[in-house]
Amino acid sequence: AMMLQERWERAGGLASRLSKREHRPEDRGPSRRHQATMAAMMLQETVKKYFRGFQHRKFHESKALGCKMSLGVYLPGAYETESKIPVLYYLSGLTCTDENASQKSGIQQYADEKGIAVVFPDTSPRGLNVPGESDSWDFGVGAGFYLNATMPKWKKWRMYDYITEELPSYLQTTFPNLDTTNASLTGHSMGGHGALTIFFKNHQKYKSVSAFSPICNPVNCPWGKKAFTGYLGVNEAAWKSYDATELAKAYDGPNTKVFIDQGADDDFLKSGQLLPENFEKAVEGKSNIELKLKMREGYDHSYFYIATFAEDHVNFHAKYLKP
């Protein structure tokens, strides 16, 4: 009986010590090791089979932005058997990362059918710890506006250089069967603004441009005024150099067709953030710009809308990328 009592007491003491260990304050919630593991997983490169091709998530060090950048790259099934695969850049909107459109737009299905690669860049530098960089959802992190900032505080916000120079070079080195000289641009909201402005400033580099719900005239909308003031200061001439409507007015390049897609029930359209009517007016009478403006009744600003009409945009670009 004494031996049983001693065993019982030893077992009770062990259970008590284990119980105390399990409830130490530092062990509450996810452990540090678990948190570190989760953070490392978020930075892992991945490859997922998707339709006949593969969706890649890649990371690379950007000299232009001074940080590690993530991006998605969809390689169609044709990449395995063909060289010189054309590229469609999809530029995302405010608050987005490289993963939003790659997971929600459904554009890869149609790109795969046409043998076109789709590249999904991130929307800003990350991890630079600039004071105030995450204070608002429409400026700073996730809101790079595809420009080169001139204000010293935001000197690393150089998404224009990243998209037009550094990214194509990285893609050509990493995926040698891509032909980055045969490329087109599309995008959504802030990314639609980016697609249009980059195209008009570099029409010799890109074959075609389209946009879902783009910010067409940022010098005249709240989003644009806030971003341009923060990144470019009060120099309104600099503002106009990143405004699709202003660039279209001044465009003297070869004949081109611009496809703008807009949900008619988009709250941002109604609140004056997008202003496609200003872009439409700017190109009236211009013989070198043909505008295809599609107003989609009943559709809003969401990925449900984008996924519904993604095929139309791929088909539009395929005419120029694979004539």
Side-chain angles (χ1 to χ4, degrees), residues 257-271:
K257 189 171 185 177
V258 176
F259 178 16
I260 292 180
D261 204 309
Q262 177 63 60
D265 282 359
D266 186 330
D267 287 340
F268 298 121
L269 173 69
K270 297 174 183 178
S271 64

Side-chain angles (χ1 to χ4, degrees), residues 184-313:
S184 292
L185 294 155
T186 191
H188 173 228
S189 194
M190 179 187 71
H193 143 80
L196 292 168
T197 56
I198 288 172
F199 177 82
F200 282 122
K201 290 161 76 74
N202 303 271
H203 60 82
Q204 73 283 359
K205 281 189 175 184
Y206 302 99
K207 300 296 177 63
S208 53
V209 63
S210 73
F212 296 91
S213 315
I215 304 171
C216 290
N217 192 198
V219 301
N220 286 314
C221 79
W223 279 339
K225 290 177 181 179
K226 178 178 179 177
F228 288 179
T229 300
Y231 294 133
L232 304 172
V234 295
N235 182 354
E236 293 195 10
W239 291 19
K240 290 181 178 180
S241 71
Y242 292 107
D243 182 295
T245 296
E246 296 295 331
L247 291 170
K249 289 178 184 177
Y251 178 72
D252 61 358
N255 292 350
T256 191
K257 189 171 185 177
V258 176
F259 178 16
I260 292 180
D261 204 309
Q262 177 63 60
D265 282 359
D266 186 330
D267 287 340
F268 298 121
L269 173 69
K270 297 174 183 178
S271 64
Q273 294 281 21
L274 307 179
L275 304 174
E277 65 274 15
N278 292 4
F279 186 90
E280 184 177 30
K281 185 177 180 180
V283 302
E284 283 180 2
K286 285 190 71 77
S287 60
N288 59 346
I289 298 179
E290 179 185 350
L291 174 62
K292 177 184 178 182
L293 175 59
K294 294 285 291 185
M295 298 298 294
R296 310 288 193 175
E297 292 299 325
Y299 289 91
D300 61 9
H301 202 74
S302 69
Y303 279 100
F304 298 110
Y305 149 68
I306 295 170
T308 302
F309 300 107
E311 183 177 14
D312 290 358
H313 288 252

